[in-house]
């Protein structure tokens, strides 16, 4: 599509580069901002979606918590495990 737009004279490589650079800056700004926000407890992976947690998800989440407790060094320390 970009090649077609350029062929029509409606778009240039310079405009493409500028747009990509601007978009990258915007994404990096939002990522930086979101990384500064407090992290939600890992339990919200299931409780945020379900009023009553299905047994299979409860089992999976329990396994994740156990794994995280056993291997704390491999999990982000800024996400509360509950």
């Amino acid at each position: 599509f970009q090649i077609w737009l350029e062929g029509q004279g409606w778009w240039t490589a310079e405009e493409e580069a500028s747009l990509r650079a601007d978009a990258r800056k915007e994404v990096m700004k939002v990522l930086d901002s979101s990384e500064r926000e407090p992290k939600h407890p890992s339990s919200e992976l299931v409780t945020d979606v379900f009023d009553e947690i299905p047994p299979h998800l409860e089992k999976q989440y329990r396994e994740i918590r156990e794994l995280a407790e056993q291997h704390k060094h491999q999990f982000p320390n800024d996400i509360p495990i509950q």
Side-chain angles (χ1 to χ4, degrees):
F1 187 67
Q2 178 184 347
I3 293 170
W4 182 79
L5 288 175
E6 288 176 0
Q8 298 297 315
W10 297 340
W11 194 249
T12 66
E14 293 79 20
E15 289 172 311
E16 180 72 20
S18 176
L19 178 67
R20 286 179 179 266
D22 291 346
R24 179 172 169 63
K25 285 178 192 173
E26 186 175 341
V27 167
M28 296 307 292
K29 181 180 176 183
V30 171
L31 280 174
D32 184 50
S33 173
S34 68
E35 287 176 349
R36 295 175 197 266
E37 292 291 319
K39 306 299 186 273
H40 296 281
S42 58
S43 60
E44 287 189 15
L45 286 168
V46 288
T47 60
D48 189 46
V49 178
F50 297 96
D51 289 330
E52 189 172 319
I53 303 170
H56 71 285
L57 291 181
E58 180 62 44
K59 179 179 183 259
Q60 289 177 8
Y61 185 68
R62 191 171 42 253
E63 291 171 355
I64 290 171
R65 281 195 321 255
E66 291 170 5
L67 183 68
E69 287 296 326
Q70 293 171 2
H71 303 280
K72 288 184 181 185
H73 64 284
Q74 294 180 340
F75 286 80
N77 61 3
D78 61 343
I79 299 176
I81 300 170
Q82 298 177 343

